[in-house]
Amino acid sequence: MRNKIVAGNWKMNKNMAGTDALLAELSAKLPNTHAKVMVSPTFVNLAGAVRQLEGSEIEVISQNMHFAESGAYTGEISADMLLDIGIKTVILGHSERRAYFGETDEILKKKVEAALANNMTVMFCFGEELQDRKSGNHFSVVESQLKNALFDLDPSAWSSIILAYEPVWAIGTGETASPEQAQEMHAFIRKTIATAFDQTIADNVSILYGGSVKPSNAEEIFSKPDVDGGLIGGAALAADDFIAIIKAI
Ligand code: 13P
């Protein structure tokens, strides 16, 4: 059975004091929920966040990692370094990494394989740009993003994969995909995985929606049968909003 998940992608926000304060507020207000709750502060605040949340239900996850085990990659962080401080899940393929830092499907494939080889869980992000949707190519773009990074994986690897469909046109724009658009794409993603692998794998993978999820629209999006939760950006930075989104699931 797939899990319900609400994850906060904090992006390049919150210094150490801000991280401490937001985590303290989230911990104090966390509702009872069947969903897995995850937060991803910046690299420099991950170790502190893990310490602060020790014994909590909230999992601290990373926004990125490099594919190499170690070596001359100035400014980069390896799987081993993340594991060493207690991080077991990594977000890979976020559209901001693809757009601003040149991360291609080929690089992402290496990162996914490196994370899995280190027994980490991968939250793999993908999604079409506005022009793809306008030209009706959104399904083929999404299919090729999945195929290029994930379809050479061993079927057993899928128990360590979480998918996050984030249409680029909905990220940080206030323009959310309609619940129907999200459901349509999530069902397509599941069907694509069933065809490439099998129906059990497709049925068991959690597929999150991301892109301008907020307290006012979360419940309707989460009510769709193929939407297993959300990857939340801006609204994850305010405890009350994030808590309201967790309650919506
Ligand atoms: P927003 O919720 O701010 O649109 O960001 C979504 C996102 O990019 C999460 O990874």
Side-chain angles (χ1 to χ4, degrees):
M1 257 311 279
R2 53 194 194 244
N3 297 317
K4 300 279 185 194
I5 299 169
V6 179
N9 176 9
W10 292 10
K11 309 190 179 183
M12 197 174 73
N13 293 293
K14 302 284 179 191
N15 61 13
M16 191 160 64
T19 300
D20 286 0
L22 180 51
L23 293 179
E25 200 177 347
L26 286 177
S27 298
K29 295 180 174 171
L30 191 71
N32 253 338
T33 175
H34 57 292
K36 181 110 194 80
V37 177
M38 301 173 167
V39 292
S40 61
T42 63
F43 277 137
V44 289
N45 291 315
L46 286 177
V50 170
R51 276 195 298 273
Q52 191 175 345
L53 291 180
E54 209 180 315
S56 155
E57 295 290 300
I58 303 174
E59 182 182 349
V60 181
I61 70 175
S62 167
Q63 299 176 20
N64 186 26
M65 59 164 252
H66 196 265
F67 53 75
E69 286 297 316
S70 63
Y73 298 98
T74 300
E76 293 292 330
I77 307 282
S78 70
D80 175 60
M81 293 166 188
L82 293 172
L83 289 166
D84 190 44
I85 57 164
I87 304 288
K88 299 185 191 72
T89 301
V90 58
I91 299 172
L92 293 173
H94 193 280
S95 66
E96 288 145 21
R97 299 295 317 168
R98 295 175 190 257
Y100 308 144
F101 303 99
E103 295 199 6
T104 60
D105 288 349
E106 196 185 2
I107 291 170
L108 292 169
K109 182 173 194 285
K110 287 197 206 173
K111 289 191 173 200
V112 168
E113 288 170 359
L116 294 171
N118 280 282
N119 295 317
M120 296 185 78
T121 295
V122 171
M123 184 181 289
F124 185 75
C125 303
F126 55 95
E128 81 283 0
E129 294 184 27
L130 186 59
Q131 73 224 32
D132 304 320
R133 187 159 277 266
K134 281 193 170 152
S135 60
N137 288 330
H138 44 299
F139 293 115
S140 63
V141 166
V142 160
E143 185 173 9
S144 77
Q145 287 172 327
L146 291 171
K147 180 169 180 286
N148 293 342
L150 303 180
F151 283 8
D152 287 341
L153 292 178
D154 189 86
S156 65
W158 280 86
S159 58
S160 301
I161 301 273
I162 300 161
L163 298 177
Y165 167 61
E166 300 203 302
V168 178
W169 49 270
I171 295 177
T173 58
E175 189 180 344
T176 322
S178 69
E180 291 70 31
Q181 284 173 318
Q183 169 56 27
E184 182 186 38
M185 182 58 89
H186 284 221
F188 170 78
I189 293 161
R190 224 177 278 288
K191 186 167 76 79
T192 303
I193 294 165
T195 306
F197 289 88
D198 66 46
Q199 192 64 47
T200 308
I201 288 175
D203 286 341
N204 285 335
V205 67
S206 296
I207 309 178
L208 315 186
Y209 168 80
S212 297
V213 177
K214 32 191 187 252
S216 57
N217 60 23
E219 193 169 341
E220 211 186 343
I221 295 172
F222 294 163
S223 71
K224 293 296 176 190
D226 284 298
V227 178
D228 303 310
L231 181 54
I232 320 300
L237 297 171
D240 288 337
D241 285 351
F242 194 56
I243 295 287
I245 293 169
I246 295 167
K247 285 183 178 158
I249 209 164

